[in-house]
Amino acid sequence: MDDVRSGALPVDDAVRQLRRLPFADLGFARVDHHRNLRQGLAEVVYGPGKTPDQCADIVKELLDQPGGPVLLTRASAGQAAVALALNPEGERYDTTLVWRPAPPRPERVVLAAAGTADLPVADECGVVLAAHGLAPQRLNDVGVAGLHRILNEVDSLAEADAVVVVAGMEGALASVVGGLTTAPVVAVPTSAGYGSSLEGVTPLLAMMSSCAAGVTVVGVDNGFGAACAVLRLFKTRDRAASPAGLNDG
């Protein structure tokens, strides 16, 4: 609408774009073009279960319309190759691909991983945050088996606007961090751990039972979901700070 008002976009072109809202039906998928408008978040293509061509075509459809970032997550090597061949302006970060990243935002996010085995989940979270303009400060290998490691980072935790904690085993790092910072804490249990970690169920239940009040918990290995929780927090703050009380997406 701003482009139409300024004359940068002809009315007929605007009408063609609006015809594809709120979604475009590709036959195998109904691509949501309204998500950024409704939520201020990227529309994300989840790779597992889709063919490489389906992934590539959905990404292309999203990129053909103006909007925010476009992501392909949990992508296989084959899916990534085909998606990038059709949409070569993207960047690949292991299993996550990003097109049209957002401009930088000022908020400070700390992303703490308890152990090296938790890094793939933390990396997924970090890429999603970066695609939305955030540059998280990474604290790697700061689990409670060596408590001095996280205590050495109390200044970073105190200055954070949000903290994401990624931990397997018994998931105790979330409670420790929750007791050290005033920032919102989003905890991600991972499936890393010995014997009775039960593929992430033990840290999941521990985090949900945290004695640090207000810790938010997402599902096992869900680095993507943790990033989206942080982004929703910041979008709410954006809306509150807007003179009209509206989220501009």
Side-chain angles (χ1 to χ4, degrees), residues 110-158:
V110 170
L111 175 52
T116 305
D118 302 310
L119 287 181
V121 177
D123 290 344
E124 179 182 67
C125 180
V127 171
V128 176
L129 290 171
H132 286 83
L134 294 163
Q137 177 184 354
R138 298 293 297 266
L139 305 180
N140 294 334
D141 201 21
V142 290
V144 299
L147 194 59
H148 52 289
R149 297 177 297 180
I150 190 62
L151 294 178
N152 192 52
E153 302 290 347
V154 290
D155 289 342
S156 295
L157 297 173

Side-chain angles (χ1 to χ4, degrees), residues 64-152:
D64 282 345
Q65 299 298 310
V70 175
L71 288 85
L72 171 60
T73 66
R74 309 284 175 97
S76 67
Q79 289 171 330
V82 175
L84 287 171
L86 188 61
N87 308 282
E89 65 275 25
E91 293 288 340
R92 182 180 178 186
Y93 305 91
D94 195 13
T95 62
T96 304
L97 287 78
V98 178
W99 290 263
R100 205 163 58 194
R105 293 181 60 104
E107 293 88 353
R108 293 167 295 185
V109 180
V110 170
L111 175 52
T116 305
D118 302 310
L119 287 181
V121 177
D123 290 344
E124 179 182 67
C125 180
V127 171
V128 176
L129 290 171
H132 286 83
L134 294 163
Q137 177 184 354
R138 298 293 297 266
L139 305 180
N140 294 334
D141 201 21
V142 290
V144 299
L147 194 59
H148 52 289
R149 297 177 297 180
I150 190 62
L151 294 178
N152 192 52

Side-chain angles (χ1 to χ4, degrees), residues 5-16:
R5 180 169 55 191
S6 69
L9 182 69
V11 171
D12 288 346
D13 290 346
V15 170
R16 277 192 290 272

Side-chain angles (χ1 to χ4, degrees), residues 171-249:
L173 183 62
S175 289
V176 171
V177 171
L180 293 174
T181 181
T182 61
V185 176
V186 180
V188 189
T190 77
S191 51
Y194 297 109
S196 58
S197 66
L198 303 177
E199 297 183 338
V201 173
T202 296
L204 171 66
L205 296 178
M207 290 171 172
M208 293 180 69
S209 304
S210 174
C211 62
V215 172
T216 297
V217 186
V218 298
V220 176
D221 291 338
N222 191 4
F224 166 76
C228 289
V230 170
L231 291 164
R232 282 179 178 267
L233 287 169
F234 291 159
K235 288 294 181 180
T236 299
R237 187 167 70 176
D238 290 346
R239 188 165 60 245
S242 171
L246 297 174
N247 180 4
D248 62 7

Side-chain angles (χ1 to χ4, degrees), residues 153-172:
E153 302 290 347
V154 290
D155 289 342
S156 295
L157 297 173
E159 295 168 358
D161 294 307
V163 181
V164 178
V165 176
V166 183
M169 303 291 184
E170 82 286 22

